[in-house]
Amino acid sequence: MSHHYTEVLIVGGSLIGLSSALFLSRHGVSVILAERHAGTSIHPRTPGYNARTMELFRAAGVEEAVRAAGPWRLTGSGLLWAESLTSPNHRWLERPSSRQDLSAVSPCDDVMLSQDVLEPVLREHAEAFGADLRFGTELRAYDDGPDGVTAVLADRATGARTMVHADYLIAADGTDSKIRRKLGIGRSGVGVLEHVAGIMVRADLGSALRDKSFAICQVNNPGFAGMVRVTGDTMALHVPYDPADGVGQFTAARCVELARAAAGIPDLAVKPLEVLPWQSTAAVADWFADGRVFLAGDAAHVMPPAGAYGANTGIQDAANLAWKLAYVLNGWAEPSLLETYDTERRPVATLTVEQALATGRDWFGAELPPEVAAVELVDEVSVKFGYRYDGAGFEDAHHPTGDPGARAPHVWLRRRGRRVSTVDLWAQGAVLLAGPEGAAWTEAAARLIGPWLSSYQVADGPVIPASPLLGDPERRWATAFGVTGGGAVLIRPDGFIAWRAAEPAGPHTDAVLAEAVRALLSGQVAEHVRTSLV
């Protein structure tokens, strides 16, 4: 048996595992990923990636590659109700966010892209950053000790085993996570809502869709009732069923019959490909971390598909955890920083599951269990951008506060004659931004500076291209971040505000900033924030 060392072992190579590998490896962390399947997904699941997720891909340098991979061009809201795919009896479902202009909220837009198209992009770029991705490989056993994780991986084709020694392990092994079960971590929530058969068939609809392009179509007719997605010549049918009858009822002949009924074309040529049962579930793990093991994605939380929040929430888990692991492994931050993964991401996951349930009620009329029936539906853009890490729920993403614990607002600035968003400034690590009278803050940052921190001073208005200051031609930065011209903010590597000083600190500048940085790197709240700003 061969032996290998890596800083982080990832179990599961779907969207969340691949995103974790991408985010970690771009931070310089060594990664081994084990995925039991021979390759990336062949299922066109998860139709959309929201603009907040695209900000994270932008920071990782893959935004353009994701967009170029072939996103869907949608008609209307992208959500369709129809008697059949080809029936004139159809309507576009109301989706307020589809009409909202995100340009004031983010430099990015939502992207409609199926999972089977996205995963190869993530795989390619993670490998380019040096991640060791082992497909066709499964976890056979592992032990988590105070000094690290020891795992046995097996090549499913040859049976060859490898012992991997890692500092940390990320369980991205799905809703039925074996790692979560081994850890004895339960789940809370309403549980299984319905059992669904995911049926993949090949069927060329040609021009029969009449230029209708949708992310999801809810089809209802005597022969078919369920959700349909179409990508190229592949149809994915999602049909609720009684588990007492078993998934075996979906024979090849039955799949052909259902596809023809959904399409509304009785003689449609259909080739059945696969039937994959799944459960529409709403549940959140009782904790997201145990020793050196972290749960991410469906291993940590599952939610119904309305709103497409599930995969996006998982990718955002990965971004939150990746920078913290990188800072700890590089010796820049204390291990206590890792404790904030659970305290930040679990409450957000719980709130997002509730919103996914409420969205299903609003879009499709889905019935909710009594305990969540009264959940107030939050504006979709605020669910995507407005979640906070200070326990304050969601803020209005169209009117961000700039508070510590909230996402750093998007403001267009100018750097050396080029347009740059505040979103771009944290791409390489934590960043301090100070106002035009805040030179004392950037000077103090220079005395603390390391590869984990950069700093900039923002002018009040435009600047010449050669200026070391960031230009603010729209004069929005100070207002957006809630500071005066002498104030400053410290932004984390995931784009959330760690600390803010609304005004100058005078002779205490060095001490105040040092306390803020110490708090950031230890996962605590800076005393200055606690007493002055919160």
Side-chain angles (χ1 to χ4, degrees):
M1 182 184 300
S2 59
H3 291 250
H4 294 267
Y5 165 75
T6 188
E7 290 174 307
V8 178
L9 171 63
I10 302 170
V11 177
S14 190
L15 280 177
I16 311 311
L18 288 170
S19 295
S20 298
L22 172 66
F23 297 148
L24 284 165
S25 57
R26 72 170 287 269
H27 279 299
V29 175
S30 62
V31 169
I32 292 178
L33 178 149
E35 164 55 48
R36 65 185 306 274
H37 290 99
T40 53
S41 176
I42 63 170
H43 294 273
R45 294 175 291 191
T46 312
Y49 303 91
N50 64 46
R52 169 59 187 159
T53 295
M54 292 305 295
E55 288 182 352
L56 300 173
F57 288 155
R58 180 187 184 98
V62 300
E63 179 193 12
E64 293 307 316
V66 171
R67 293 189 183 281
W72 299 339
R73 306 298 178 190
L74 299 182
T75 309
S77 68
L79 302 172
L80 184 66
W81 178 94
E83 187 175 49
S84 73
L85 298 183
T86 57
S87 171
N89 183 15
H90 69 269
R91 67 177 185 273
W92 295 102
L93 300 178
E94 184 71 11
R95 184 185 175 207
S97 69
S98 67
R99 302 191 307 271
Q100 296 188 28
D101 181 1
L102 295 179
S103 62
V105 179
S106 174
C108 302
D109 292 318
D110 296 349
V111 168
M112 304 309 296
L113 189 73
S114 58
Q115 181 172 340
D116 58 319
V117 175
L118 176 59
E119 285 189 7
V121 176
L122 301 180
R123 177 179 183 174
E124 176 187 354
H125 285 81
E127 288 178 330
F129 279 121
D132 181 356
L133 309 183
R134 304 184 183 187
F135 285 81
T137 301
E138 64 182 357
L139 176 71
R140 290 289 174 84
Y142 82 90
D143 288 311
D144 173 24
D147 299 320
V149 176
T150 301
V152 177
L153 306 182
D155 185 304
R156 298 188 70 199
T158 66
R161 296 193 173 199
T162 302
M163 180 80 75
V164 174
H165 304 275
D167 294 297
Y168 297 97
L169 186 154
I170 297 177
D173 54 341
T175 185
D176 295 321
S177 171
K178 293 180 179 179
I179 295 173
R180 187 189 64 239
R181 292 203 301 269
K182 178 181 176 180
L183 293 170
I185 300 176
R187 296 194 299 183
S188 300
V190 300
V192 178
L193 300 168
E194 65 180 355
H195 294 261
V196 182
I199 302 168
M200 280 188 63
V201 302
R202 181 155 291 124
D204 187 359
L205 295 174
S207 60
L209 292 179
R210 300 177 184 176
D211 296 325
K212 293 193 295 287
S213 180
F214 51 84
I216 299 172
C217 182
Q218 186 70 31
V219 174
N220 286 283
N221 64 52
F224 182 91
M227 185 175 68
V228 182
R229 294 175 184 152
V230 178
T231 54
D233 64 353
T234 300
M235 293 174 62
L237 316 172
H238 297 276
V239 185
Y241 72 99
D242 186 339
D245 296 333
V247 75
Q249 65 183 288
F250 297 102
T251 62
R254 178 64 174 148
C255 291
V256 170
E257 179 183 351
L258 288 169
R260 288 172 172 170
I265 305 175
D267 59 351
L268 179 68
V270 177
K271 178 181 179 181
L273 298 176
E274 188 174 9
V275 177
L276 183 70
W278 59 279
Q279 298 171 341
S280 180
T281 304
V284 178
D286 293 336
W287 58 93
F288 283 14
D290 190 298
R292 290 175 173 264
V293 181
F294 301 90
L295 308 181
D298 285 353
H301 46 73
V302 285
M303 58 196 78
Y309 295 132
N312 287 282
T313 304
I315 292 169
Q316 291 156 30
D317 291 343
N320 181 288
L321 181 57
W323 79 264
K324 294 172 180 177
L325 284 169
Y327 275 42
V328 170
L329 287 164
N330 281 315
W332 304 332
E334 299 174 23
S336 58
L337 176 63
L338 298 174
E339 297 172 9
T340 65
Y341 173 66
D342 174 81
T343 58
E344 291 181 350
R345 291 305 299 169
R346 186 157 50 88
V348 168
T350 299
L351 290 172
T352 308
V353 168
E354 291 178 351
Q355 287 302 305
L357 288 165
T359 299
R361 173 192 63 200
D362 188 60
W363 287 0
F364 304 123
E367 294 185 7
L368 297 185
E371 59 266 39
V372 293
V375 171
E376 181 180 352
L377 186 65
V378 174
D379 168 62
E380 186 180 345
V381 177
S382 294
V383 176
K384 295 174 182 178
F385 291 99
Y387 61 87
R388 297 174 58 126
Y389 287 148
D390 58 359
F394 298 104
E395 69 176 29
D396 182 352
H398 300 284
H399 301 92
T401 62
D403 289 343
R407 168 184 165 271
H410 156 62
V411 177
W412 284 116
L413 302 173
R414 302 287 294 185
R415 181 172 63 185
R416 300 187 182 95
R418 300 184 64 180
R419 196 182 194 210
V420 60
S421 168
T422 46
V423 168
D424 300 315
L425 299 178
W426 48 261
Q428 301 305 317
V431 61
L432 176 90
L433 298 182
E437 289 87 48
W441 291 116
T442 55
E443 290 167 3
R447 290 186 280 274
L448 292 170
I449 209 102
W452 46 271
L453 177 65
S454 58
S455 67
Y456 300 93
Q457 195 173 349
V458 183
D460 183 22
V463 297
I464 62 173
S467 173
L469 276 64
L470 298 177
D472 182 14
E474 299 176 3
R475 291 181 167 84
R476 289 189 56 235
W477 176 81
T479 301
F481 282 83
V483 299
T484 67
V489 295
L490 183 62
I491 306 174
R492 307 183 338 178
D494 58 356
F496 276 74
I497 299 173
W499 165 89
R500 176 179 64 184
E503 298 177 345
H508 306 294
T509 298
D510 280 63
V512 169
L513 184 58
E515 164 65 10
V517 169
R518 186 201 63 79
L520 168 66
L521 299 179
S522 64
Q524 300 175 8
V525 176
E527 187 65 29
H528 182 65
V529 172
R530 186 183 296 114
T531 58
S532 303
L533 298 172
V534 175

